[in-house]
Structure formats: structure tokens, C-alpha cells
Amino acid sequence: QVRLVESGGALVQPGGSLRLSCAASGSIFSINTMGWYRQAPGKQRELVAASTSGGRTNYVDSVRGRFTISRDNAKNTVSLQMNSLEPDDTAVYYCNAKLYTSYTSRLYEYWGQGTQVTVSS
């Protein structure tokens, strides 16, 4: 069993910053990709940022230049530094990991429970 635990969501004013963190634990052999998704009320869940084990990163256009994803492969953690937050960033943010549980396993996908980020004055 694999568990993803997120932290860092909060209420913040426009222009402010937040840092989200996620730690993966359990039966993990190796993690391919770790990332963050978000879902705002009435909208589909969207990819915000992702980081591969090889160090590649990608961002949704709306956050590029404001958000930075970082990953510690040794600790199985991923963080999302969010700067210059805007009201449109308000959403529940979910940690996501695509990983192998053994040398011969297929790729599994896991989700965290979500953490609320609210940007409002």
C-alpha cells in the first residue's frame, strides 16, 4: 500500500505565496513522476506541474513563471512553491505519483487526499 500525504494549503491574499508539500510512503520501488493537480469548483481536475525522475518538469501555462515544482527522489517528496497567487488559483490541490511497487510491477497511480488553497482578500 502506498500513501501520499499533503500539507501546506491555506487562505492567502492575492499576490501572496504558499508552499505545498507531499510525502509518499509505503511499498515503493521507484517513482516515475510526481506532480500536482488542482480542481476548482465546477471545473475538471487539471495538471498544474509535474516532475519526472530524470528531472524534467512541466507546468500548465497559467502558472509558468509563478510556480516551481521541486522533488527529492531520496525522500520521495515533492513540493510546489506558489508565488504571486491569484484568485483563479483557488482550488483543491492534489499530489499525484506514478510509481512501481516492485522491479516487475506495472506502473501504478496514487493520489493524495487534497489540500485547499484559497486566494482571496
Side-chain angles (χ1 to χ4, degrees):
Q1 188 70 11
V2 174
R3 188 181 180 203
L4 302 182
V5 178
E6 303 132 334
S7 61
L11 170 65
V12 63
Q13 292 187 341
S17 297
L18 276 178
R19 186 176 182 86
L20 305 182
S21 297
C22 173
S25 62
S27 301
I28 299 170
F29 176 74
S30 68
I31 300 179
N32 185 316
T33 304
M34 294 190 83
W36 292 92
Y37 288 69
R38 67 186 179 186
Q39 187 166 20
K43 294 187 178 181
Q44 289 189 332
R45 189 174 296 190
E46 66 170 353
L47 173 66
V48 177
S51 173
T52 70
S53 58
R56 290 183 180 179
T57 59
N58 64 290
Y59 299 89
V60 66
D61 286 346
S62 60
V63 309
R64 191 171 288 113
R66 300 188 296 122
F67 292 10
T68 302
I69 189 169
S70 58
R71 178 174 166 179
D72 187 327
N73 291 330
K75 296 181 178 179
N76 290 335
T77 60
V78 65
S79 297
L80 185 68
Q81 178 65 41
M82 305 186 293
N83 298 328
S84 301
L85 282 160
E86 303 169 354
D88 283 349
D89 295 318
T90 296
V92 177
Y93 284 70
Y94 296 91
C95 180
N96 174 275
K98 298 176 179 64
L99 56 88
Y100 298 96
T101 57
S102 72
Y103 181 75
T104 57
S105 81
R106 64 173 178 88
L107 195 64
Y108 289 93
E109 182 173 39
Y110 289 91
W111 295 90
Q113 79 283 1
T115 185
Q116 177 70 46
V117 172
T118 302
V119 184
S120 175
S121 55

